[in-house]
Amino acid sequence: MSEETGGIGRFPTRRELLAAIGGAAATSSVDASGVTTREAPLRVRVYPGPVSIRAWARYGFSGITRNWPPPFRDAFAAIEDALNQVLSYASRQSRLTEFDVRLERGDLVQYPLSEASPSAESIIPSRDTVLSVFRDQVRGRNVGAGAESTAHVLFAWAPLNYRLGYGGTHPDLYRLGRVLGDGAYTAVNLGATEVWDSRVVSRNMAIHETLHTLISPSIAEAIGGTECDHDLGTAVRTDDGTLRVSPMATAYAGPDVAGINGGTRWPGTGCADIDRIHEGDPDAAVDQVEYTTELSDATLEAVTRFLEYVRDRLANDQPASG
Ligand SMILES: [Zn+2]
């Protein structure tokens, strides 16, 4: 686990994110009476989707035995780093001191869509269909304890699926705690970010789609003034003519800001207030766009508050011990 850089303050506790390789079922249990054992109050579980032979060839078949090609590996590490940033931010303020997040690798998720009769849904499934299939597959497994406190993240490889786009959240289960007894489901289309953009965009979008499940509109509004969590991201003009875009603003920092596209090949289609996202001199020339996985202060605060909400809710749900 990388330590927080910058040397600001001192952390009262060392935060650890445990990345369990392989099946996640062993990390939790439900006993015969149905009493669940929680080892961590909140989990983020990342599942690889199928990757085409063409894509494997692109990466020299690296990671094929575990179905984790290099873009998936790097995106997973980016999520790990982002969660660590949140916990470090919270620790500096003595918040969430007894709270941990567990980051896990789930098993391969298949799309059984091709078995359906030929239709647009089987050839180019919509975002909602992808998320519904993903959710059904996860629910069909023994997801073990803590299912309702798990954000399930699908790494999809579908570079030509314009209906999925760069990814998105389940139509109903888009945030943890929204539906009693179920978790949250989100997908990031790493095939699209890799083929149309770059690895840095892949990293940022993996963080972006994951954090959608960990920010509520009311918290976003309390911090950023709008219910839109994209507005918590930043696009900062630096002195050397670079526009530096943080994860929640990735795909929303443009298009056509200062005469350039906002960076990604395809603009996001969700909510966004360009004026809130952009920081710095609006007339400054921008020569290039770069992406940073460093979360904005507003994003750090929003996720921290949401985790505090989850902690309090879980504490109330906890069965009486002894
Ligand atoms: Zn988004």
Side-chain angles (χ1 to χ4, degrees):
M1 219 37 254
S2 62
E3 289 292 333
E4 173 73 12
T5 56
I8 305 167
R10 180 178 166 277
F11 310 137
T13 59
R14 175 177 170 81
R15 315 302 311 209
E16 287 185 330
L17 286 167
L18 305 173
I21 295 174
T27 64
S28 59
S29 62
V30 181
D31 72 18
S33 63
V35 175
T36 57
T37 304
R38 286 196 185 91
E39 292 182 359
L42 187 142
R43 299 152 197 275
V44 175
R45 191 175 296 163
V46 181
Y47 305 75
V51 173
S52 68
I53 290 296
R54 181 190 293 265
W56 283 116
R58 180 185 173 110
Y59 300 108
F61 298 93
S62 172
I64 196 166
T65 54
R66 290 185 177 274
N67 206 73
W68 281 87
F72 286 16
R73 184 193 62 208
D74 287 355
F76 185 89
I79 294 171
E80 183 177 45
D81 176 67
L83 294 173
N84 203 33
Q85 287 180 56
V86 172
L87 293 178
S88 296
Y89 168 87
S91 283
R92 288 198 294 273
Q93 302 178 24
S94 301
R95 297 161 71 187
L96 294 171
T97 50
E98 300 302 320
F99 192 87
D100 274 312
V101 178
R102 190 178 178 94
L103 180 64
E104 302 170 338
R105 293 189 183 192
D107 292 331
L108 177 68
V109 168
Q110 298 284 3
Y111 304 112
L113 298 170
S114 57
E115 296 171 6
S117 58
S119 67
E121 277 305 301
S122 63
I123 298 167
I124 304 179
S126 68
R127 180 180 302 161
D128 286 0
T129 297
V130 170
L131 267 300
S132 295
V133 169
F134 173 43
R135 189 253 190 178
D136 289 348
Q137 287 217 7
V138 171
R139 293 282 288 182
R141 302 173 180 183
N142 177 14
V143 293
E148 63 184 315
S149 55
T150 302
H152 305 275
V153 181
L154 172 66
F155 281 176
W157 190 275
L160 300 180
N161 188 343
Y162 60 91
R163 302 177 77 197
L164 174 59
Y166 289 132
T169 49
H170 189 281
D172 302 315
L173 302 162
Y174 45 80
R175 189 173 66 246
L176 263 187
R178 186 164 183 280
V179 174
L180 199 63
D182 210 338
Y185 297 82
T186 188
V188 52
N189 188 352
L190 294 173
T193 55
E194 285 287 309
V195 169
W196 298 103
D197 294 284
S198 61
R199 185 65 48 87
V200 288
V201 172
S202 294
R203 289 194 186 96
N204 270 28
M205 288 309 297
I207 295 169
H208 176 128
E209 303 297 1
T210 300
L211 295 189
H212 269 315
T213 67
L214 301 176
I215 300 172
S216 70
S218 60
I219 288 174
E221 184 173 29
I223 295 165
T226 73
E227 292 188 344
C228 177
D229 45 8
H230 296 136
D231 294 345
L232 299 172
T234 49
V236 182
R237 289 172 173 79
T238 61
D239 292 339
D240 63 355
T242 298
L243 187 68
R244 184 180 297 143
V245 182
S246 68
M248 293 314 292
T250 298
Y252 289 90
D256 298 330
V257 175
I260 59 163
N261 187 280
T264 53
R265 179 74 72 96
W266 310 104
T269 55
C271 61
D273 183 337
I274 296 290
D275 292 335
R276 288 180 187 274
I277 289 172
H278 284 265
E279 294 179 3
D281 179 4
D283 297 323
V286 171
D287 300 323
Q288 62 176 343
V289 179
E290 69 176 28
Y291 296 89
T292 174
T293 53
E294 194 175 323
L295 301 178
S296 68
D297 288 346
T299 304
L300 291 169
E301 177 61 26
V303 179
T304 297
R305 283 194 204 179
F306 187 80
L307 295 183
E308 288 172 331
Y309 154 76
V310 169
R311 175 200 59 192
D312 295 345
R313 194 177 60 99
L314 290 172
N316 291 333
D317 288 350
Q318 203 73 258
S321 58

